[in-house]
Amino acid sequence: MTFKTSFVALAVLTALTQSAIAQEKSDSEINKNKEIERITVTASRMDKSPSSIPNTVTIIDRVQLEEQFRTTKDLSTIIGNLAPSFSPSRQKMSNTGETLRGRPPLIMIDGVPQSNPLRSGGRSGQTIDPAMIERIEIIHGANAMHGLGAQGGIINYITKKPTGDNQHVASFDVTVPDSLKSNGVSFGASYAFSGESELIDMLGSVSYRNNGVYYDANHDVIGVDTTQGESMDSQSKDFFIKLGHNFTESRLELMVNHYNMDNNGDWMAVAGNKPNGIPTGAVEEKQPWEAANNEVTTTSLTYTHENIAGQQLSMQLFNQDFKAVYGGGCFDSFYDPSFEGSDQVVQCGVNSKGEHLYYEQSRNSSVKWGLKTSLIAKNIADTGIDAAYGIDLFRDTTEQDLVKTGFSWVPESTYDNFAPYLQLDYDLIKDLTLSTGVRYEHATLSVDDYKTLYGAGNKQIAGGEATFDETLFNVGLSYKITPDIRIYTSYNQGFGMPDIGRILRDGNSFPDANPSINDSLALTPIVTDNVELGADYQGSFLSAKIAYYRSATDLGARLALNSDGFYDVKREKSVIDGIEANVTAYLTSNDDLGMNIALQRGEYDVNGDNKVDTDLDGANISPNRINLFWTHNFDNEMSTRVQANYFMDRDFENAKGAKYAEFDGYTTVDASLSMPLYTGTLSIGVQNLFNKDYFNYYSQTMGTNDRYFKGMGRTATLGYTVAF
């Protein structure tokens, strides 16, 4: 038994078409202005409004999040729906290859970095339950506002704050696949409480989610990624608490979020056949290794003061403890002759060299500490100059080892960073603002002596310290032609490190006879130059944004897939340029109709002649896409949303102009509604409404026979939230 497309479409469209009946308000009652300027962008370090930042900024507020939660709880999917320059979700535990403007973004929770600079691992997108998030701030394009890692921009998850009232909120949801098969049912629940006393205000929340098996449009089980990590057939739990105390002019706040996600390990992959269009499948069979999992604890202690000698002070001490276990496999990369016939491992096959392979898997551990300090001074000495300045301190210690044999795949590495910065805003003339700044990065990478794995050359590498110094600049102009129209341009530099772990574990990174980390050019930092030109319009009936950008680096860090399905880092020149645009028409006080567009192209230098000549592949650049949406709010607090995602075809060409990969685009449609029910809110959502059968972007462009995955077919989600 399945949902009938015509029935589902009719049910949704029946609710939507009632908007014509509900329109009785006069133009004078229409809410023309969406009041986006009430939000300040904390990730800007100057708490500026979106229209005063000379970059493309996307704010995903709680209303938009709630609309998306009706159909999905996957944050990558949500961000892509609302900021289309972000890659399509892989619908897996891993987010490797998910980029913003073709480069990896810095992901943060309340300003605490979640991205792992030394060994990415592709798990930074699975560190918090969406139920804990109040809004998402996205600053597009490379920048150094928060230092390390923002090559494609910043994605900052802002968590919920205490409301000041004693309140409890409970939410429940269940998702059912089109096939109605019981093992495909997913469900989740969350509970939050908020309150305050004379001494303290607090907000706490817990959530639990159980993901069933994913089915494609043909009602076949989607293949599992047993190595990088699988979100289907998994369970996740999140504990969140925020405590605060307000003094006369200051505030002290503690935030703790503990998140873990565990795959059940009950399904094994069945290899597909990519040349013949046969997808990777799955069979119910216990995995012969520890199933992939994530466990992350993020802690932040923040002190703010509104008046320190006329300035605003902010200090944040943070910590993140990150652990990730990756699934196992029968890999040449992990083979070591000393374990031939050992009882410590389980034999699993023979490779082309006649070596007896065994099951093995890796485990990544990272501990981050940091201190961010900033002072904001407004209108210094009546000059009209605003300044933000401070010092950021950061330490990351990371190691990746093998679970069965105990070998170190990536040696323990410590990265220390010291970064003072200064940012200035000055109104040159009325409505013309100059923004400029400088940030100095002093970083040290410390690694002890170590040996690469047998399969990576069995090389003895001399440890030591590698020191890096970079001075990064930004400058931007923003001009308000009228109160509704703004144009801007900017130049920003971003600072990042290549995936150090992938470099250290690869013997090819050290070609010399007596290799040392001090001699490896591959460890050199990435400095990305981002140039942007844009225009905004915010009117009563229409808002529109358009921006052109160009992002370039002389020594990038392209991810290249090897024969075992692992990624190596290639240091090459790369250039990406693109256009982002969005238009929202406020048709009435209750109807918004909008379109978001992201077009981008990217090339890299394959032969070292300092000229880009080969298209970046699907692990390093997003597809061109158009997102369309229509939202309607009824007078009785019921609301609906329909959205379509159109992904355009693309061919990938090498330096000789020959096609080496292709992407066959597709379109998916989602629809949802929300309505008051008793004292709560009922939501109904359908993802992939018309049950489109497709292979996802990553699988088409980067997939192998073991990772050639279909996208999810039609699913229906029913949710209920009640406050008491």
Side-chain angles (χ1 to χ4, degrees):
M1 179 179 180
T2 63
F3 299 134
K4 299 298 183 182
T5 299
S6 57
F7 174 77
V8 177
L10 178 62
V12 174
L13 292 176
T14 298
L16 293 174
T17 52
Q18 294 185 38
S19 61
I21 303 173
Q23 298 311 313
E24 297 178 355
K25 291 193 175 183
S26 65
D27 285 349
S28 63
E29 296 176 287
I30 295 174
N31 180 14
K32 310 292 187 184
N33 194 331
K34 296 302 179 181
E35 297 182 332
I36 60 172
E37 293 307 288
R38 291 187 303 169
I39 296 176
T40 59
V41 183
T42 59
S44 70
R45 304 300 291 266
M46 294 189 77
D47 289 350
K48 300 166 70 173
S49 64
S51 70
S52 24
I53 299 174
N55 302 86
T56 299
V57 177
T58 298
I59 303 295
I60 302 174
D61 61 28
R62 186 65 191 179
V63 173
Q64 293 172 302
L65 286 174
E66 293 288 356
E67 290 175 343
Q68 297 298 318
F69 290 164
R70 300 172 196 168
T71 57
T72 182
K73 297 299 190 294
D74 180 66
L75 283 170
S76 295
T77 298
I78 291 170
I79 293 172
N81 287 341
L82 301 174
S85 57
F86 188 75
S87 297
S89 171
R90 292 180 60 183
Q91 300 176 348
K92 301 294 182 183
M93 189 183 293
S94 171
N95 66 332
T96 297
E98 292 180 3
T99 61
L100 179 64
R101 287 188 172 180
R103 300 193 188 278
L106 171 62
I107 298 176
M108 303 189 298
I109 296 176
D110 288 343
V112 179
Q114 304 298 294
S115 307
N116 296 313
L118 297 188
R119 177 66 190 93
S120 171
R123 296 283 186 85
S124 58
Q126 298 281 359
T127 63
I128 189 171
D129 189 282
M132 316 300 167
I133 300 173
E134 178 66 26
R135 72 176 188 273
I136 303 174
E137 301 173 349
I138 304 174
I139 299 179
H140 301 236
N143 64 79
M145 295 175 186
H146 291 266
L148 192 69
Q151 300 301 300
I154 293 172
I155 300 175
N156 191 22
Y157 300 136
I158 306 298
T159 60
K160 294 180 177 179
K161 298 183 181 298
T163 61
D165 300 320
N166 293 322
Q167 186 181 55
H168 304 263
V169 179
S171 297
F172 312 89
D173 63 82
V174 60
T175 299
V176 182
D178 187 69
S179 65
L180 293 182
K181 293 183 179 179
S182 59
N183 63 3
V185 175
S186 303
F187 59 90
S190 67
Y191 164 74
F193 64 91
S194 177
E196 67 176 5
S197 66
E198 293 182 2
L199 294 177
I200 195 170
D201 55 63
M202 66 184 303
L203 183 146
S205 183
V206 292
S207 71
Y208 173 80
R209 182 156 302 281
N210 188 306
N211 288 325
V213 175
Y214 298 162
Y215 285 89
D216 64 21
N218 298 316
H219 304 158
D220 295 323
V221 177
I222 293 174
V224 295
D225 191 335
T226 56
T227 305
Q228 291 188 356
E230 181 59 59
S231 58
M232 85 172 197
D233 186 41
S234 69
Q235 303 175 61
S236 64
K237 296 177 284 291
D238 198 313
F239 169 80
F240 172 83
I241 191 165
K242 182 177 286 187
L243 305 174
H245 176 71
N246 292 316
F247 300 92
T248 303
E249 292 184 297
S250 60
R251 177 173 174 82
L252 183 66
E253 185 175 271
L254 172 69
M255 183 275 289
V256 179
N257 187 77
H258 178 77
Y259 175 86
N260 71 283
M261 185 176 194
D262 297 287
N263 187 264
N264 295 325
D266 293 332
W267 291 79
M268 289 287 287
V270 176
N273 188 317
K274 186 175 180 181
N276 293 321
I278 300 174
T280 303
V283 61
E284 194 166 5
E285 178 184 330
K286 196 67 179 177
Q287 297 173 13
W289 48 72
E290 181 182 350
N293 58 76
N294 254 20
E295 184 174 357
V296 188
T297 302
T298 302
T299 307
S300 170
L301 181 64
T302 304
Y303 176 74
T304 56
H305 199 292
E306 295 301 316
N307 187 7
I308 299 289
Q311 304 175 76
Q312 300 172 31
L313 169 69
S314 175
M315 299 180 65
Q316 182 185 44
L317 176 67
F318 65 83
N319 167 258
Q320 190 211 42
D321 192 343
F322 174 93
K323 295 181 177 65
V325 173
Y326 299 86
C330 204
F331 304 122
D332 282 335
S333 297
F334 292 160
Y335 171 77
D336 191 284
S338 63
F339 279 84
E340 281 272 5
S342 170
D343 294 336
Q344 186 176 334
V345 296
V346 177
Q347 307 295 321
C348 58
V350 180
N351 65 12
S352 59
K353 301 176 185 178
E355 298 166 332
H356 291 83
L357 303 180
Y358 47 84
Y359 290 124
E360 184 57 287
Q361 62 187 129
S362 71
R363 173 175 48 209
N364 192 33
S365 300
S366 176
V367 177
K368 291 189 277 290
W369 287 94
L371 176 66
K372 293 182 177 181
T373 63
S374 66
L375 283 162
I376 299 176
K378 300 286 188 179
N379 192 23
I380 300 174
D382 292 324
T383 61
I385 297 175
D386 297 338
Y389 60 98
I391 297 175
D392 294 343
L393 305 176
F394 180 75
R395 164 169 281 196
D396 184 316
T397 302
T398 293
E399 181 181 18
Q400 187 173 15
D401 65 348
L402 302 185
V403 174
K404 299 297 183 183
T405 62
F407 287 138
S408 177
W409 194 15
V410 175
E412 182 173 283
S413 311
T414 299
Y415 176 89
D416 289 304
N417 180 257
F418 168 85
Y421 72 93
L422 171 65
Q423 191 73 29
L424 301 173
D425 275 8
Y426 177 59
D427 291 333
L428 298 174
I429 58 174
K430 183 180 179 181
D431 297 323
L432 177 62
T433 301
L434 170 68
S435 299
T436 186
V438 61
R439 182 182 176 102
Y440 172 70
E441 298 275 357
H442 175 77
T444 302
L445 176 67
S446 303
V447 183
D448 291 336
D449 296 347
Y450 72 100
K451 181 184 285 189
T452 65
L453 295 182
Y454 178 85
N458 201 31
K459 292 184 178 181
Q460 184 67 46
I461 311 296
E465 289 188 349
T467 301
F468 315 103
D469 295 278
E470 295 287 349
T471 302
L472 308 167
F473 299 95
N474 69 80
V475 61
L477 285 171
S478 177
Y479 179 59
K480 283 192 174 183
I481 300 175
T482 71
D484 295 334
I485 301 175
R486 177 182 76 121
I487 58 173
Y488 65 87
T489 185
S490 64
Y491 167 76
N492 289 272
Q493 289 185 303
F495 174 79
M497 296 294 292
D499 193 318
I500 297 297
R502 286 191 169 106
I503 292 172
L504 294 179
R505 75 190 191 190
D506 183 7
N508 294 325
S509 301
F510 305 93
D512 296 340
N514 297 303
S516 166
I517 69 162
N518 297 320
D519 303 326
S520 177
L521 179 65
L523 296 176
T524 304
I526 307 165
V527 176
T528 304
D529 298 320
N530 187 83
V531 178
E532 185 166 342
L533 176 64
D536 300 342
Y537 171 75
Q538 180 66 49
S540 299
F541 299 95
L542 184 75
S543 69
K545 295 181 181 181
I546 187 169
Y548 166 79
Y549 63 88
R550 184 175 180 85
S551 169
T553 179
D554 290 332
L555 199 61
R558 181 176 62 89
L559 295 180
L561 200 64
N562 67 26
S563 60
D564 260 350
F566 302 130
Y567 283 96
D568 298 323
V569 175
K570 303 298 183 182
R571 305 303 309 274
E572 300 149 336
K573 179 177 181 176
S574 64
V575 176
I576 299 171
D577 58 0
I579 294 174
E580 294 175 335
N582 65 69
V583 178
T584 301
Y586 310 132
L587 302 179
T588 70
S589 60
N590 293 328
D591 287 273
D592 292 350
L593 183 67
M595 176 175 64
N596 300 318
I597 300 175
L599 307 173
Q600 56 185 293
R601 63 181 181 182
E603 294 182 312
Y604 68 94
D605 176 15
V606 73
N607 57 11
D609 65 356
N610 206 34
K611 296 179 181 178
V612 293
D613 48 28
T614 300
D615 289 341
L616 288 169
D617 59 32
N620 295 276
I621 199 166
S622 306
N624 296 328
R625 70 192 286 185
I626 298 175
N627 296 350
L628 303 172
F629 68 89
W630 174 29
T631 63
H632 174 72
N633 297 312
F634 295 87
D635 294 337
N636 61 358
E637 298 184 8
M638 187 169 76
S639 65
T640 57
R641 180 182 177 95
V642 176
Q643 60 189 23
N645 287 279
Y646 167 51
F647 300 94
M648 304 180 194
D649 296 346
R650 169 175 274 174
D651 290 338
F652 299 84
E653 297 181 350
N654 61 22
K656 297 180 180 179
K659 183 172 67 175
Y660 72 85
E662 64 179 331
F663 171 59
D664 184 13
Y666 53 87
T667 301
T668 60
V669 178
D670 307 327
S672 67
L673 68 89
S674 173
M675 60 183 294
L677 182 65
Y678 297 106
T679 58
T681 302
L682 176 72
S683 66
I684 302 172
V686 182
Q687 187 177 23
N688 195 359
L689 176 66
F690 299 110
N691 204 31
K692 175 65 178 178
D693 183 29
Y694 66 96
F695 289 92
N696 66 39
Y697 176 71
Y698 182 88
S699 295
Q700 289 192 48
T701 57
M702 296 301 299
T704 60
N705 289 340
D706 292 327
R707 290 196 185 124
Y708 190 45
F709 301 124
K710 284 284 189 76
M712 292 173 63
R714 180 167 50 227
T715 61
T717 299
L718 183 69
Y720 186 70
T721 300
V722 60
F724 54 95

